[in-house]
Amino acid sequence: MNIGDAARRSGLPAKTIRYYEEIGLVRPARDPNGYRAFAERDVAKLVFLNQARSLGFSIEDCRTLLSLWEDRDRASADVKALAREHLHAIDAKIAALREIRDTLDHLIGQCAGDDRPDCPILERFATGRAPRA
């Protein structure tokens, strides 16, 4: 099948599929005319990559996950460890976002939002310090 068909079946844009080929995640065969010829296994890999990327796994993590998926002698503990590591990274990002949210909420609460030029939000950005009470 051609790249358009593979894109429709995998849910990925053709541009992303070309990129995945460029970095070696998929290697479709080539027809004599040079066009990509995707097999069912290639589409399965693309679906796999789409799902892993939608959960936020990095390209390198996807490379590792694909390798584990293709290795019938793999240990599920390896997959679980990678997923757990990714979950810890997500939890750290969530904590950082909560801190950012709380800081921004506090600054918004400190800003009068009126016609005066004083603005604790801009003061924080300019000085890096919390506004004076």
Side-chain angles (χ1 to χ4, degrees):
M1 80 188 72
N2 66 30
I3 195 167
D5 294 333
R8 276 188 293 285
R9 293 195 43 207
S10 67
L12 291 169
K15 184 175 181 177
T16 301
I17 295 171
R18 284 187 208 93
Y19 173 68
Y20 287 169
E21 180 184 15
E22 182 181 317
I23 63 172
L25 287 175
V26 292
R27 292 183 180 88
R30 294 284 181 156
D31 285 336
N33 60 10
Y35 291 133
R36 293 168 184 86
F38 289 88
E40 291 298 324
R41 184 71 177 161
D42 297 317
V43 173
K45 283 184 180 183
L46 292 170
V47 169
F48 182 98
L49 290 166
N50 192 13
Q51 291 299 306
R53 293 291 288 154
S54 74
L55 290 175
F57 283 96
S58 70
I59 293 292
E60 285 312 308
D61 285 345
C62 287
R63 191 178 304 281
T64 301
L65 288 165
L66 261 178
S67 176
L68 288 166
W69 183 50
E70 293 174 329
D71 179 4
R72 300 308 298 164
D73 294 326
R74 69 182 169 263
S76 65
D78 295 336
V79 180
K80 185 175 183 174
L82 184 61
R84 179 170 280 136
E85 182 179 311
H86 184 56
L87 181 60
H88 290 313
I90 290 170
D91 287 340
K93 287 178 186 178
I94 289 170
L97 285 171
R98 282 190 179 125
E99 188 173 319
I100 290 168
R101 189 218 174 277
D102 291 348
T103 299
L104 188 56
D105 184 52
H106 174 74
L107 290 171
I108 290 169
Q110 296 295 307
C111 184
D114 56 19
D115 293 334
R116 295 180 304 143
D118 298 335
C119 179
I121 299 168
L122 295 178
E123 183 179 334
R124 168 67 182 267
F125 294 169
T127 66
R129 293 187 307 269
R132 294 179 296 277

